[in-house]
Amino acid sequence: MAPPPPSPLFDLACAACGAAYPASGFPDACARCGGAWRHGDAFAWQPPADAAGLRRWAPALGLDPEELPARALASPPGLYVPADGGGGVWICQQGSAPAGSHKERGAEVMAAAARRRGLRELFLDSSGNAGIAVARAAADRGIRCTVLVPASTPAVKLERIRAAGAELEIVPGDRAATHAAAQELRRSLPYAAPFFQPAFVAGIATLAWEIAAAVGEPLPAHWLLPAGNGPLLLGLTLGLSCLVRAERLDRLPALHAVQLEGYAALSPGGPGKGRPGPPTAAGIAIAAPPRRAEMLRCLADTGGDVTRVGEDEIAAARRELADHGWTADPTGAAAFAGYRRRADLRAPRAAGGGERQAAAPSCLVIVTSREAGLD
């Protein structure tokens, strides 16, 4: 059987020193200088195939459709018009029902790339959702997966990681301690970190393509998204840049990172002061994201900025979303909390305008999970 053709997923070079991505292995960073990988021009938007789920984007990814799942990984964008006169907003909820998150998208593409490279084992550190997604995707391809999680991870997420067939290692301490523990294991096993592995970021890029196709022109000028370690921000910037290069968009929308008080590593005003105790929005409780400089560059390149939100604001956002049919864990609802705080981004609804005013909202919110059972 002839080997599969080269995939655009492996058209990569080190962003720092320019070294080419190796012909074998699955490195998370450049062996020469430790820099992150940057996608080349071969990674580009292509018209979607007549297929379901991620298989629509198999040609652009350089994968066979059978290497990707056919299940839906997101709900269609929904238009929400708050009763307080703040204009309309697109709500883009991610994750396969009844649970899941946007990280399924990156995990499936990354696992397909790992399978192509002949991997039999990998590991990652996670606050929960990435661990669940990668564990499932790896198991489907016969790849052994180990997931390191902090001791404060909710029991339901631990159960789902185990149910997916992964080895689970619970690390004493917080998310930072778990990341530190991962650096030791990184010396001996392929590191499937969503924020380092370029195939994961490429999988997230397809989200930008799907949103653009579903919402249509004109795209909202402001997109709000949770930002912790950054794969969502990095992937959306990559996907939107591909659309601009393909002349499908005239310009990039502004990407606004929503971060948790006490952990707002991108905020010019500092991280802020979080409340005592373990954070509920653990996915964005990241004090020192490894790719902080690149995340800041994404905000600058798109004209976006940072909004800090507190745990109480996130809880209120979850309640409001749930009242209108969107369920999410705390991290998943954080962007809507940012939307509620950012009145300056919202176009007011004109008197008597009704749905006409709401038809072209200026904001789009990405709700990154569909989990109802976490507090």
Side-chain angles (χ1 to χ4, degrees), residues 224 257-262 264 271-275 280-281 284 306-322 328-344 346 365 367:
L224 293 98
V258 179
Q259 298 201 288
L260 182 63
E261 286 277 12
K273 185 176 181 181
R275 72 182 188 188
T280 59
I284 52 173
V306 183
T307 297
R308 295 184 306 204
V309 295
E311 300 269 10
D312 291 344
E313 290 173 284
I314 291 174
R318 289 185 73 199
R319 289 192 295 270
E320 183 174 356
L321 286 170
D329 69 3
T331 298
F336 189 74
Y339 164 80
R340 272 309 193 185
R341 176 172 277 211
R342 293 295 299 269
D344 60 308
R346 305 198 298 271
V365 168
V367 176

Side-chain angles (χ1 to χ4, degrees), residues 17 21 26 49 52 129 132 137 233 246 279 284-285 289 294 297 305 315 325 349:
C17 73
Y21 191 74
F26 204 63
N129 283 340
I132 296 167
L233 177 59
I284 52 173
E294 290 161 273
R297 193 175 306 119
D305 56 23
R349 189 163 68 246

Side-chain angles (χ1 to χ4, degrees), residues 48-66:
D50 184 14
L54 276 175
R55 294 181 178 183
R56 302 177 70 217
W57 306 112
L61 298 168
L63 296 171
D64 296 328
E66 294 74 18

Side-chain angles (χ1 to χ4, degrees), residues 10-14 19-32 37 117:
F10 305 123
D11 178 33
L12 302 160
C14 175
Y21 191 74
S24 62
F26 204 63
D28 58 273
C30 174
R32 180 190 295 174
W37 300 112
R117 285 286 172 120

